[in-house]
Amino acid sequence: MSAPTIRTRHTAAAADAVERARDAATRESWTEAYELLHAHERHPSRGLTADDLSVLADAAWWSGHLDESVTARLRAHAAFLAADDHRGAGLASWWLHYEYAGLGRPAAAAGWLHRARHHLADLPDCPEQSFLAWTDAEEAEAHGDHAAALAAVHRMTGLALASGSPDLLALSRQAESRVLLAAGRRAEGLARLDDAMCAVTAGELSGMFTGWLYCLALTQCMEAADFARAVEWTNAAMEWCAPPWTGRPPPDGPDAPDGPASARDPGSASLPMTVPSGENPFRGVCRAHRVEVLDLLGAWALAEAEARQACREVPVDCLESAAAAYYAAGDVQRRQGRLDAAAVSYGHAHELGRIPQPGLALLRLAQGRADAAVAGVELALACRGAPDHDVLGRARLLAARTEVALAVRDVTGAAGAAAELDALAGDGAGAVPLLRALADTAVGSVALARKGSDALLPLRRALAGWLELRVPYEAAQVRMLLAAADRAAGDEEGARLELGAARAAFERLGAVPDARRAAALLTGGSRRRLPGGLTAREAEVLRLVAEGGTNKDIARALVISEHTVARHLNNIFAKLGVGSRASATAYAYAHGLV
């Protein structure tokens, strides 16, 4: 056979491989497209076109080869530019901006965004300009210019409608939702988000935009404290992410990693994280959102298992999702009484860039380190500033601030935090159910600390709210407060009913410390083993300290000398490993002694 004939057959085979890769990309069979083009790249008989290089970039991204994705897109940009195709070059530039931003390279991202503007700015209206309008809306929103953000969104919507692209239209609806929510127009914002998600759940969009919109929408729902939507769309997202087969074992085995990639290898965060062939790179991100939802629903064992899996699955450009999963796992472990494990999980979240508050502050409170708890939650509130988009994040900090302040007898500070939370939650038709339940819990706690008769109403509202939301742990916590309020009002039977319900809920959840506290309160504390090795007299002294009594007050109440009170306090501090009355008070509240 002659050499020209061999070369002709090789050329035909290569062309066929490229055609099959294009067909695979059309079917969104990304692993197949990647393998075909990757093999072609190793033994090229002809160069890939700019469009083929764009397909290679997309296929590499879906297959978890982020470094190859960027390299292929750089080559695609050069090829578009050589062909004087500014629309193609502009789109490649925008995607490079987006990928570099995700990889934590803001300077490179800014440079490619500038190039995208340069390529597309003077062209007639075209679909590629929609991405620039989306970025313009994000930047205006970041500066608090809602009018400019809305104008950019409206331009994007016009471009999307003109293009006839369902992908771009759904993305424009999501962007409009984000801007409206940031401007405080909650009902309109959620209506726009529902519009965008109809296209997602109906399967009208490409895989890239489906995954992208699930991620954006789930983040919006949690930040806006719309728990019902978060539950619905998290389930839908995980169903979409699921592989079309069953019975495949996890790619990395059943055990959790020792920590995030950056913790196991300080340099690994800059390396590509490979997703096993056939895996959906959005799965880990969606699973991290699912962990938050499962945590609130009380499915703690599943939440922790999903958190471990999410940390294995998230791509390297989405490590904030792994941080969120570690944080949620820490919350579960803390409430189960696994304080050392919780500290490790919060530490991993911190390594990945998340401030682990308010969970860490509540952990310190459970450890009797009240000063650290106060400092941690106050610093987190100061850093977060105004609620901006993450309303739920600030609400949780305010709820924790109320709890921590009450533990150290700072009723004034607790009242201030509860009042801000109450205003944030809204009232009537404008109330946000999850925030309203948090606020009623905080307001009722403060009223109970003030020994007022007005604690029952907000606490009963809070219980009804948590039960309606199907959030069992917080509902059980409110029952504990209601039991104290009932006892203060002389309703011992009502108190016992609340304590019994709370104990049953804590036991079902696996919230061991809370279950023990409820059981101890049910028996009146007469036959239980006291925590920390305290004697009955030491526990009595500690209760009076926690109620704000001085040594003189305690001596008078117990008919003992002040010297004896001081001796008891020394023994209490030594047994509990605390060094101040405030820390001892925090310990008393954390262990149900008050």
Side-chain angles (χ1 to χ4, degrees):
M1 185 179 297
S2 65
T5 302
I6 295 173
R7 283 198 299 271
T8 300
R9 289 190 176 180
H10 284 175
T11 301
D16 180 60
V18 173
E19 285 299 326
R20 285 187 287 127
R22 292 171 183 165
D23 176 67
T26 301
R27 292 182 281 106
E28 295 191 344
S29 181
W30 295 112
T31 301
E32 180 185 352
Y34 170 76
E35 290 173 351
L36 286 166
L37 291 175
H38 191 62
H40 175 81
E41 283 282 275
R42 287 199 299 268
H43 304 288
S45 57
R46 67 181 179 85
L48 293 176
T49 67
D51 287 330
D52 290 335
L53 286 166
S54 296
V55 170
L56 176 58
D58 290 342
W61 184 88
W62 278 95
S63 302
H65 306 285
L66 302 186
D67 54 340
E68 293 183 50
S69 174
V70 171
T71 299
R73 211 170 298 279
L74 287 168
R75 292 171 58 200
H77 172 266
F80 281 124
L81 200 57
D84 201 30
D85 182 350
H86 284 276
R87 284 178 58 180
L91 184 58
S93 297
W94 189 89
W95 278 113
L96 282 165
H97 143 72
Y98 192 79
E99 288 190 81
Y100 276 126
L103 292 168
R105 297 184 57 186
W112 283 105
L113 179 60
H114 177 75
R115 282 203 176 187
R117 296 189 193 283
H118 172 74
H119 287 306
L120 299 172
D122 297 327
L123 296 180
D125 286 355
C126 59
E128 292 79 6
Q129 292 167 346
S130 295
F131 295 95
L132 288 181
W134 191 76
T135 303
D136 291 339
E138 273 203 328
E139 290 180 347
E141 187 187 337
H143 290 94
D145 190 343
H146 300 308
L150 206 54
V153 166
H154 289 161
R155 170 165 168 73
M156 181 184 181
T157 302
L159 291 165
L161 288 168
S163 73
S165 167
D167 285 343
L168 293 177
L169 185 58
L171 187 62
S172 72
R173 296 291 189 230
Q174 180 277 329
E176 186 175 8
S177 165
R178 185 185 66 233
V179 173
L180 290 171
L181 286 171
R185 296 161 62 178
R186 182 180 179 88
E188 294 174 78
L190 291 174
R192 294 296 187 279
L193 188 58
D194 288 345
D195 188 1
M197 295 307 292
C198 279
V200 174
T201 55
E204 298 171 1
L205 309 184
S206 68
M208 172 62 78
F209 281 78
T210 296
W212 198 4
L213 281 162
Y214 269 130
C215 291
L216 294 170
L218 291 172
T219 300
Q220 278 180 259
C221 289
M222 290 306 294
E223 290 179 349
D226 194 317
F227 188 53
R229 281 180 172 85
V231 171
E232 181 177 347
W233 289 335
T234 299
N235 291 336
M238 289 309 300
E239 184 177 345
W240 172 76
C241 285
W245 60 89
T246 58
R248 177 175 175 174
D252 294 332
D255 296 326
D258 293 332
S262 58
R264 296 192 300 272
D265 177 359
S268 62
S270 62
L271 300 176
M273 182 180 291
T274 301
V275 178
S277 177
E279 294 288 337
N280 185 326
F282 288 106
R283 184 182 304 171
V285 180
C286 291
R287 198 184 301 276
H289 288 294
R290 176 172 163 80
V291 171
E292 294 184 77
V293 169
L294 290 171
D295 176 24
L296 281 169
L297 291 175
W300 288 354
L302 181 56
E304 190 172 0
E306 292 282 85
R308 297 179 180 206
Q309 187 67 12
C311 294
R312 285 191 287 263
E313 291 176 343
V314 291
V316 72
D317 58 343
C318 294
L319 289 181
E320 68 275 8
S321 296
Y326 274 116
Y327 177 83
D331 277 353
V332 169
Q333 292 156 348
R334 170 176 56 80
R335 288 182 299 223
Q336 290 176 328
R338 298 158 56 199
L339 304 189
D340 290 342
V344 171
S345 293
Y346 290 142
H348 289 328
H350 184 264
E351 289 167 13
L352 290 174
R354 179 182 178 124
I355 298 175
Q357 295 292 3
L360 185 59
L362 296 174
L363 173 64
R364 297 302 180 226
L365 191 62
Q367 294 170 328
R369 298 172 56 186
D371 293 344
V374 171
V377 76
E378 287 186 347
L379 183 60
L381 277 167
C383 291
R384 187 175 291 269
D388 294 327
H389 311 309
D390 190 3
V391 179
L392 182 57
R394 183 163 186 86
R396 282 171 161 165
L397 283 171
L398 289 168
R401 176 70 180 93
T402 305
E403 183 176 346
V404 169
L406 289 175
V408 298
R409 309 298 292 172
D410 178 12
V411 179
T412 301
E420 183 181 343
L421 181 51
D422 189 45
L424 198 62
D427 279 312
V432 182
L434 183 56
L435 300 185
R436 189 68 260 159
L438 277 170
D440 286 336
T441 303
V443 170
S445 299
V446 172
L448 185 61
R450 286 174 166 166
K451 305 187 188 307
S453 59
D454 53 349
L456 283 170
L457 180 59
L459 289 176
R460 293 200 185 283
R461 280 202 312 261
L463 178 59
W466 291 123
L467 291 175
E468 186 174 350
L469 289 165
R470 300 184 182 180
V471 177
Y473 179 75
E474 280 73 9
Q477 289 279 33
V478 171
R479 288 190 186 278
M480 298 288 284
L481 296 170
L482 273 169
D486 285 340
R487 276 183 171 165
D491 183 4
E492 185 62 33
E493 183 178 1
R496 292 184 65 80
L497 286 172
E498 297 294 359
L499 288 170
R503 178 185 180 180
F506 288 141
E507 288 176 345
R508 283 194 300 271
L509 288 165
V512 176
D514 292 295
R516 288 175 178 166
R517 185 160 58 98
L521 290 171
L522 268 170
T523 59
S526 58
R527 293 183 299 277
R528 66 188 174 110
R529 177 186 291 179
L530 294 167
L534 297 175
T535 66
R537 175 62 89 182
E538 288 166 350
E540 209 168 12
V541 170
L542 181 55
R543 289 190 195 98
L544 293 171
V545 168
E547 291 176 5
T550 64
N551 284 15
K552 186 174 183 179
D553 296 332
I554 297 168
R556 186 183 302 115
L558 299 180
V559 196
I560 56 178
S561 70
E562 290 186 47
H563 175 75
T564 302
V565 172
R567 179 169 52 81
H568 283 313
L569 280 176
N570 285 335
N571 291 337
I572 291 167
F573 286 2
K575 287 181 178 181
L576 304 186
V578 300
S580 68
R581 298 172 83 95
S583 296
T585 297
Y587 184 96
Y589 273 88
H591 292 81
L593 293 173
V594 180

